[in-house]
């Protein structure tokens, strides 16, 4: 098993999985794509930004073997999670008709979920496709194409009961064979799909009967449901895949509320209403369009002029003006990402816990949030933000800046007169702002932080190569934090770039890996975050906001913590 | 007595420059810029790098005559400190260009033959690139920093100096006093440095002044693109880029560095023109 795990963590896989991290300050692809002064930062963010899918994209790195051993998992509680509750019927309100244009930072890259993790694509998939499962607004996994599910007693397989009477847009029946074909296509080495890394322990799918699919695992994988509630759960039509072959990426066929109509490269993707959608009465809109526009100012003006009806990823500085605009509705929620100053715990001076803690105490998170981000996000002092499972709001460490404590800790750590270190950051204006503010705050405890400006790709590579003392990175781990814990802080993680080594943490993580019961697992996650806040392997800074912007005429929109605009319930008020 | 002759000449030159239109204005701006660069630490009201998160994006006021930026730093102080980066880039880059360019030009023009052919073809190749593009390419290759930006801009200015000096050498080589010096057996070095060198100072001074303007503008462009001065050290170009993000909320962030770049670059250009006008024998003032 382990041997298999250690297979090919090629440089490419690594980089790809690192892509799931967005680099510090890049709050959204939108900002990133225009904020940076250099092309490099733009391209990074393009790789970097992944949403729900991206959450687990990280998994491909942890596939590298850092995962708590299967044995531990096998001994775990044989729990079964089931949810028989079908999705509640959609509100019958809403007028039919109308078109919504969603503006995003760039045009789509591929219509084939097997071959992209870009946010711009996930957005479009939410209209054309359905996933096996989805998140509700409280981040619980709820039924979509699968109506119920159950883990085997040994946790080595999951059985999904599928929704009946669902048809793909090309008339193909949605059934266990379709699930098998889709998932096994993601896993097919010939496809070289980034999705494979998001479901690392899945070995295959059995079609038990027409509407029952059994997903086989080679080791317990308690967070599988969250993978299937992300883009990896996207179901594609097996007939269409066969028919189009490599051209499938331009001819997508799903079960979603809208049917793919056209993709004018470098301009827009349009989909029209699926008249036979399995959710009765939905969708309301005649069509949806996704338009790539790199300049956020153009997008905002487009919304003012009603050429564009929706967008996401508004820069913090624009939030106030957008809020006061009567033509716009702003959705502002904490995102699932957290920005941190990652420290290299393996080398001086950050090999001492006191020094790391001193830096953390010297930072005034509230002041930064207010001044730089106009209180759009949330200051955090732990690995998890408010949108992640296991977030512990009661952690008081570092919550309020304490310079005296910081100085005491510096003395305790053997650096009473301060020290200097190099911190790497991308050269985008957003990340530079954060880095410079922190540099100024650290001056108050005589700690000098020298900024090294790098393009995003180089910055991520330096992390992998362990050529850093500190590095500003924003991580979007999705709702379920297991992969993040495992990847960054498990001492046997193969990409052990941070040098954090705590037997207590490891033991607790193994326990969490084997705990299928979510309430129990969340409790363990809380303990894990508490441990990380205390040991301070990274200096946790803030949870950026997730922003979505709509014209005032839009109604019926339901926010989803996966970061994707789900438009099936949306209608236009006349 | 002999020694005072060049001094008198330069006094005469200054006198003529002063009478060129706009020249006093540009000279004053250049002097102010130099003064700001040298005494930045004394005259700047605030730290140019320390973030005051309580004072972000304040509009211009008595306390902050040019407002504050997105990190609460005084824009005026940053512009004053930014003069250092701009002027040092202007001077160092021009120095590099002048030293290398003049040497190559002298060699080329004096020895002619294959040396001249090879050197001038290389210069032609360099001139074929637009200045900013070449500077961008060199900085990108060397890595972003002020020093590398200076080197890049210096390299870009080399061919201009080389061609100018070569042309001067070719002209002066045939001048009567050079021919007579040669006829009485003066050595090459003596002819070059005693007779040819001093007599081509005027065009070089003009070129230097224009080159400084070019270097300041190019440095600002490179910094704008993140390839020059590295934050938090202030530079006008970077401030301009930073201000662009806030053009609707806090226009002063972009206006003041922009105006500063405009004034200083224009001043150096006008100064170069003034020197030319003052010394061109064909022009009557």
């Amino acid at each position: 098993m382990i041997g298999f795990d250690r297979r090919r963590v090629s440089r490419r896989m690594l980089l790809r999985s690192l892509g799931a991290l967005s680099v510090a300050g890049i709050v959204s692809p939108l900002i990133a794509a225009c904020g940076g002064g250099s092309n490099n930062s733009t391209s990074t963010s393009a790789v970097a930004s992944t949403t729900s899918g991206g959450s687990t994209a990280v998994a491909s790195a942890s596939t590298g073997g850092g995962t708590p051993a299967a044995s531990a998992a096998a001994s775990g509680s044989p729990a079964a999670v089931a949810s028989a509750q079908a999705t509640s019927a959609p509100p019958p309100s809403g007028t039919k008709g109308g078109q919504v244009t969603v503006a995003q930072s760039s045009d789509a890259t591929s219509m084939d979920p097997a071959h992209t993790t870009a946010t711009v694509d996930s957005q479009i998939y939410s209209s054309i496709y359905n996933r096996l499962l989805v998140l509700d607004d409280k981040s619980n996994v709820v039924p979509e194409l699968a109506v119920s599910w159950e883990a085997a007693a040994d946790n080595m397989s999951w059985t999904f009961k599928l929704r009946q009477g669902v048809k793909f847009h090309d008339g193909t029946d949605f059934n266990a064979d379709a699930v098998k074909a889709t998932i096994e296509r993601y896993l097919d080495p010939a496809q070289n799909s980034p999705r494979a890394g998001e479901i690392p322990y899945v070995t295959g799918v059995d079609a038990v009967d027409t509407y029952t699919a059994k997903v086989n695992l080679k080791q317990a994988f308690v967070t599988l449901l969250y993978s299937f509630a992300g883009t990896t759960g996207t179901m594609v039509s097996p007939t269409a895949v066969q028919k189009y072959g490599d051209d499938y990426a331009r001819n997508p066929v799903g079960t979603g509320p809208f049917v793919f109509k056209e993709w004018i490269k470098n301009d827009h993707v349009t989909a029209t209403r699926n008249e036979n959608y399995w959710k009765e009465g939905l969708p309301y809109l005649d069509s949806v369009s996704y338009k790539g526009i790199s300049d956020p100012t153009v997008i905002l003006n487009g919304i003012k002029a009603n050429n564009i009806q929706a967008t996401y990823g508004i820069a913090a500085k624009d939030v106030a003006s957008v809020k006061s605009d009567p033509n716009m509705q702003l959705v502002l929620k904490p995102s699932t990402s957290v920005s941190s100053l990652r420290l290299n715990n393996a080398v001086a001076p950050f090999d001492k816990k006191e020094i790391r803690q001193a830096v953390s105490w010297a930072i005034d998170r509230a002041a930064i949030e207010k001044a730089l981000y106009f209180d759009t996000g949330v200051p955090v002092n732990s690995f998890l933000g408010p949108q992640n499972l296991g977030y512990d709001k009661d952690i008081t460490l570092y919550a309020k800046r304490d310079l005296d404590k910081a100085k005491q800790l510096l003395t305790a750590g053997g650096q009473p007169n301060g020290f200097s270190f190099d911190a790497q950051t991308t050269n985008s204006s957003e990340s530079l702002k954060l880095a410079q503010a922190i540099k100024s705050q650290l001056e108050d405890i005589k700690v000098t932080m020298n900024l090294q400006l790098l393009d995003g790709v180089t910055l991520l590579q330096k992390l992998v190569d362990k050529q850093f003392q500190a590095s500003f990175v924003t991580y979007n781990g999705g709702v379920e934090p297991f992969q993040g814990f495992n990847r960054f802080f498990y001492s046997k993680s193969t990409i052990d770039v941070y040098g954090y080594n705590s037997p207590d943490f490891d033991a607790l993580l193994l326990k969490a890996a084997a705990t299928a019961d979510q309430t129990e697992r969340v409790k363990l996650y809380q303990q894990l975050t508490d441990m990380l806040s205390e040991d301070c392997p990274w200096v946790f800074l803030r949870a950026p906001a997730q922003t979505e912007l709509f014209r005032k005429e839009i109604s019926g929109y339901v926010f989803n913590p996966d970061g994707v605009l789900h438009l099936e319930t949306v209608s236009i008020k006349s | 007595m002999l020694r005072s002759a060049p001094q008198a000449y330069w006094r005469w030159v200054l006198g003529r420059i002063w009478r060129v239109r706009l020249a006093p204005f540009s000279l004053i701006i250049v002097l102010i810029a130099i003064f700001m660069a040298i005494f930045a630490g004394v005259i700047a009201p605030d730290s140019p790098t320390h973030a005051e998160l309580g004072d972000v994006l304040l509009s211009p006021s008595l306390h902050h005559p040019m407002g504050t930026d997105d990190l609460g730093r005084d824009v005026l102080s940053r512009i004053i400190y930014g003069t250092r980066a701009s002027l040092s880039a202007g001077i160092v880059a021009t120095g590099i260009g002048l030293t290398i360019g003049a040497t190559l030009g002298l060699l080329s023009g004096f020895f002619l033959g294959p040396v001249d052919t090879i050197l001038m073809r290389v210069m032609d190749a360099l001139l074929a690139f637009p200045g900013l593009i070449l500077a961008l390419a060199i900085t990108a290759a060397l890595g972003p920093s002020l020093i590398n930006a200076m080197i890049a801009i210096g390299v870009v200015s080399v061919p201009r100096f080389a061609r100018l000096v070569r042309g001067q050498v070719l002209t002066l080589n045939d001048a009567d006093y050079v021919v007579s010096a040669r006829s009485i057996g003066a050595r090459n070095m003596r002819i070059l440095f005693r007779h040819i060198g001093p007599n081509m100072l005027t065009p070089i001074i003009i070129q230097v002044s224009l080159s400084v303007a070019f270097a300041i503008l190019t440095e600002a462009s490179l910094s704008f693109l993140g390839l020059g001065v590295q934050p938090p050290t202030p530079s006008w170009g970077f401030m301009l880029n930073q201000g662009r993000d806030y053009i609707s909320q806090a226009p002063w962030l972009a206006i003041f560095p922009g105006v500063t770049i405009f004034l200083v670059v224009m001043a150096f250009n006008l100064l170069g023109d003034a020197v030319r006008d003052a010394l061109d024998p064909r022009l009557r003032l």
Side-chain angles (χ1 to χ4, degrees):
Chain A
M1 289 289 158
I2 300 285
F4 185 80
D5 278 345
R6 290 198 182 275
R7 89 204 136 110
R8 308 183 287 142
V9 185
S10 67
R11 195 182 186 79
R12 220 171 121 212
M13 266 178 83
L14 235 155
L15 277 176
R16 185 204 288 148
S17 56
L18 279 169
L21 319 171
S22 47
V23 173
I26 297 178
V27 179
S28 77
L30 212 69
I31 302 170
C34 59
S38 98
N39 285 330
N40 285 330
S41 62
T42 313
S43 64
T44 320
S45 56
V47 198
S49 44
T50 49
T51 42
S52 54
S55 58
T56 25
V58 243
S60 62
S62 43
T63 329
T67 332
S71 56
S75 68
S77 56
V81 179
S83 170
Q85 199 67 39
T87 345
S88 49
S93 60
T95 23
K96 291 246 174 193
Q99 140 140 25
V100 163
T101 299
V102 179
Q104 36 187 8
S105 58
S106 78
D107 187 29
T109 66
S110 169
M111 288 296 103
D112 182 353
H115 291 134
T116 168
T117 55
T119 305
V120 288
D121 296 326
S122 308
Q123 296 286 348
I124 303 173
Y125 298 164
S126 72
S127 287
I128 298 175
Y129 297 107
N130 290 123
R131 307 171 190 167
L132 274 186
L133 308 166
V134 283
L135 297 179
D136 68 7
D137 56 349
K138 305 254 172 358
S139 298
N140 298 312
V141 174
V142 293
E144 182 85 345
L145 288 179
V147 290
S148 69
W149 51 90
E150 191 176 357
D154 61 357
N155 276 327
M156 296 299 278
S157 69
W158 286 79
T159 304
F160 293 86
K161 290 272 177 215
L162 305 179
R163 193 174 296 281
Q164 304 189 11
V166 178
K167 292 238 184 278
F168 286 100
H169 302 154
D170 61 358
T172 313
D173 192 28
F174 169 74
N175 53 30
D177 289 330
V179 175
K180 180 179 166 70
T182 302
I183 301 294
E184 292 189 346
R185 182 164 170 266
Y186 292 154
L187 295 170
D188 183 2
Q191 290 287 334
N192 195 18
S193 167
R195 301 283 157 219
E198 301 179 19
I199 39 176
Y201 312 116
V202 176
T203 52
V205 180
D206 294 336
V208 178
D209 60 46
T210 320
Y211 294 105
T212 311
K214 181 160 153 268
V215 176
N216 297 312
L217 301 170
K218 62 185 158 70
Q219 71 178 58
F221 184 33
V222 290
T223 61
L224 177 74
L225 295 180
Y226 282 89
S227 298
F228 284 159
T231 313
T232 307
T234 304
M235 290 295 127
V236 304
S237 162
T239 7
V241 167
Q242 284 228 299
K243 182 174 159 197
Y244 294 109
D246 287 347
D247 277 344
Y248 179 77
R250 296 195 62 88
N251 299 283
V253 177
T255 57
F258 298 93
V259 181
F260 173 80
K261 183 178 159 221
E262 62 175 7
W263 178 8
I264 309 295
K265 195 83 180 151
N266 295 324
D267 194 61
H268 70 271
V269 173
T270 300
T272 53
R273 177 167 52 215
N274 177 2
E275 301 291 354
N276 305 313
Y277 192 44
W278 57 271
K279 291 186 189 172
E280 207 65 43
L282 292 183
Y284 300 117
L285 297 171
D286 283 342
S287 70
V288 289
S289 254
Y290 293 85
K291 209 166 162 55
I293 299 175
S294 61
D295 187 342
T297 316
V298 175
I299 295 181
L300 289 182
N301 288 338
I303 294 189
K304 278 186 193 124
N306 204 8
N307 301 324
I308 296 165
Q309 286 75 37
T311 188
Y312 58 96
I314 310 297
K317 67 183 174 64
D318 291 324
V319 163
S321 66
V322 155
K323 251 186 193 162
S324 61
D325 190 321
N327 288 320
M328 303 187 192
Q329 317 175 47
L330 178 74
V331 177
L332 181 77
K333 303 256 181 171
S335 69
T336 48
S337 42
V338 170
S339 304
S340 314
L341 176 60
R342 301 180 170 189
L343 305 177
N344 189 340
N345 293 205
V347 296
F350 297 121
D351 53 344
K352 291 211 174 62
K353 178 168 129 184
E354 292 79 11
I355 300 293
R356 303 194 295 262
Q357 288 175 330
V359 168
S360 198
W361 277 112
I363 292 168
D364 189 342
R365 292 169 176 77
I368 288 177
E369 196 57 48
K370 182 164 191 283
L372 268 54
Y373 303 102
F374 310 97
D375 283 330
T376 50
V378 186
V380 295
N381 39 15
S382 71
F383 179 61
L384 301 178
Q387 284 289 354
N388 300 107
L389 286 180
Y391 169 68
D392 186 352
K393 63 179 191 327
D394 299 326
I395 299 177
T396 49
L397 281 172
Y398 328 117
K400 203 167 167 2
R401 188 185 202 206
D402 190 335
L403 290 178
D404 291 334
K405 200 161 203 158
K407 284 176 191 155
Q408 283 166 21
L409 283 162
L410 277 184
T411 313
Q415 305 273 13
N417 301 317
F419 59 95
S420 77
F421 69 100
D422 296 333
Q424 299 174 348
T425 177
T426 58
N427 41 18
S428 76
S429 59
E430 284 291 319
S431 39
L432 268 177
K433 244 177 21 178
L434 181 62
Q436 292 183 86
I438 285 172
K439 178 184 164 69
S440 285
Q441 296 193 339
L442 292 184
E443 280 165 6
D444 295 345
I445 55 165
K446 297 199 197 108
V447 170
T448 311
M449 182 170 90
N450 302 311
L451 295 182
Q452 292 181 330
L453 272 61
L454 305 169
D455 65 88
V457 175
T458 315
L459 181 129
L460 295 176
Q461 188 58 48
K462 294 232 180 221
L463 280 183
V464 175
D465 297 342
K466 307 184 188 185
Q467 289 172 354
F468 70 104
Q469 280 186 295
S471 188
F472 284 95
V473 186
T474 297
Y475 170 67
N476 187 352
V479 170
E480 160 61 63
F482 181 81
Q483 300 289 359
F485 282 129
N486 179 41
R487 173 175 173 190
F488 301 122
F489 306 115
Y490 183 54
S491 68
K492 293 185 188 67
S493 165
T494 30
I495 342 178
D496 178 32
V497 280
Y498 306 98
Y500 176 68
N501 191 343
S502 158
D504 291 348
F505 182 90
D506 290 357
L508 207 56
L509 187 67
L510 290 178
K511 200 172 159 199
T515 308
D517 179 70
Q518 183 151 316
T519 326
E520 284 304 307
R521 198 166 72 247
V522 164
K523 277 183 195 149
L524 293 173
Y525 288 161
Q526 284 184 344
Q527 292 177 37
L528 288 167
T529 35
D530 293 356
M531 226 178 250
L532 290 180
S533 290
E534 165 66 25
D535 289 344
C536 203
W538 296 355
V539 177
F540 308 108
L541 299 170
R542 64 183 295 263
Q546 178 176 333
T547 50
E548 296 166 353
L549 187 64
F550 299 92
R551 277 289 301 186
K552 65 168 192 290
E553 295 84 5
I554 298 288
S555 73
Y557 174 72
V558 182
F559 171 82
N560 197 301
D562 66 7
V564 171
L565 309 181
H566 296 261
L567 299 178
E568 61 182 21
T569 57
V570 162
S571 64
I572 297 180
K573 278 183 283 191
S574 45
Chain B
M1 274 313 278
L2 267 177
R3 186 160 286 210
S4 70
Q7 280 178 13
Y9 170 74
W10 286 113
R11 202 171 302 134
W12 172 81
V13 169
L14 265 182
R16 284 182 69 99
I17 292 174
W18 197 254
R19 272 178 281 145
V20 178
R21 206 151 52 93
L22 284 177
F25 165 74
S26 57
L27 200 60
I28 287 170
I29 291 183
V30 168
L31 289 176
I32 291 177
I34 294 172
F35 180 80
M36 291 204 307
I38 297 173
F39 296 104
V42 184
I43 54 177
D46 271 313
S47 157
T49 54
H50 192 82
E52 281 301 334
L53 295 183
D55 298 341
V56 295
L57 299 177
L58 297 180
S59 52
S61 64
L62 222 54
H63 188 216
H64 297 290
M66 295 187 183
T68 62
D69 70 3
D70 53 348
L71 284 164
R73 300 172 299 198
D74 183 44
V75 174
L76 175 62
S77 303
R78 283 178 66 74
I79 285 184
I80 291 174
Y81 272 94
T83 319
R84 287 185 171 172
S86 295
L87 285 199
S88 57
I91 291 162
V92 172
T94 305
I96 294 172
L98 175 63
T99 316
I100 302 177
T103 314
L104 296 181
L106 275 179
L107 291 175
S108 203
F110 199 72
F111 294 109
L112 296 171
V115 179
D116 179 45
T117 314
I118 294 170
L119 283 177
M120 282 307 116
R121 289 303 80 74
V122 173
M123 293 302 120
D124 286 347
L126 282 177
L127 272 178
F129 292 100
L132 182 59
I133 304 288
L134 185 59
L136 262 176
I138 298 172
T139 327
L142 295 176
S145 80
L146 180 56
I147 303 285
N148 290 344
M150 289 172 178
I151 295 172
I153 301 166
V155 170
V156 172
S157 358
V158 162
R160 288 168 224 280
F161 282 106
R163 297 196 75 136
L164 174 75
V165 169
R166 174 179 175 273
Q168 289 295 314
V169 173
L170 284 182
T171 318
L172 294 174
N173 229 348
D174 294 335
D176 291 345
Y177 54 89
V178 173
V179 174
S180 33
R182 195 170 280 129
S183 71
I184 59 169
R187 278 166 294 129
N188 282 349
M189 284 300 135
R190 183 177 171 85
I191 292 173
L192 267 181
F193 290 105
R194 190 74 197 173
H195 299 286
I196 296 182
N199 278 297
M200 60 186 190
L201 268 185
T202 308
I204 288 182
I205 289 172
I206 297 167
Q207 180 60 33
V208 162
S209 169
L210 297 175
S211 175
V212 169
F214 167 79
I216 291 176
L217 196 59
T218 311
E219 187 279 325
S221 310
L222 290 176
S223 292
F224 183 91
L225 297 171
L227 291 171
V229 176
Q230 296 297 287
T233 312
S235 99
W236 298 339
F238 186 80
M239 290 171 74
L240 195 61
N241 186 14
Q242 182 196 11
R244 198 182 51 131
D245 286 350
Y246 293 92
I247 196 81
S248 56
Q249 293 102 325
W252 57 88
L253 283 187
I255 290 174
F256 289 114
V259 167
T260 312
I261 295 171
F262 167 72
L263 282 178
V264 172
V265 171
M266 188 183 67
F268 273 102
N269 271 319
L270 286 176
L271 200 61
D273 288 350
V275 177
R276 191 194 60 212
D277 291 353
L279 300 181
D280 191 334
R282 282 166 303 183
L283 290 175
R284 286 278 171 274
L285 288 166

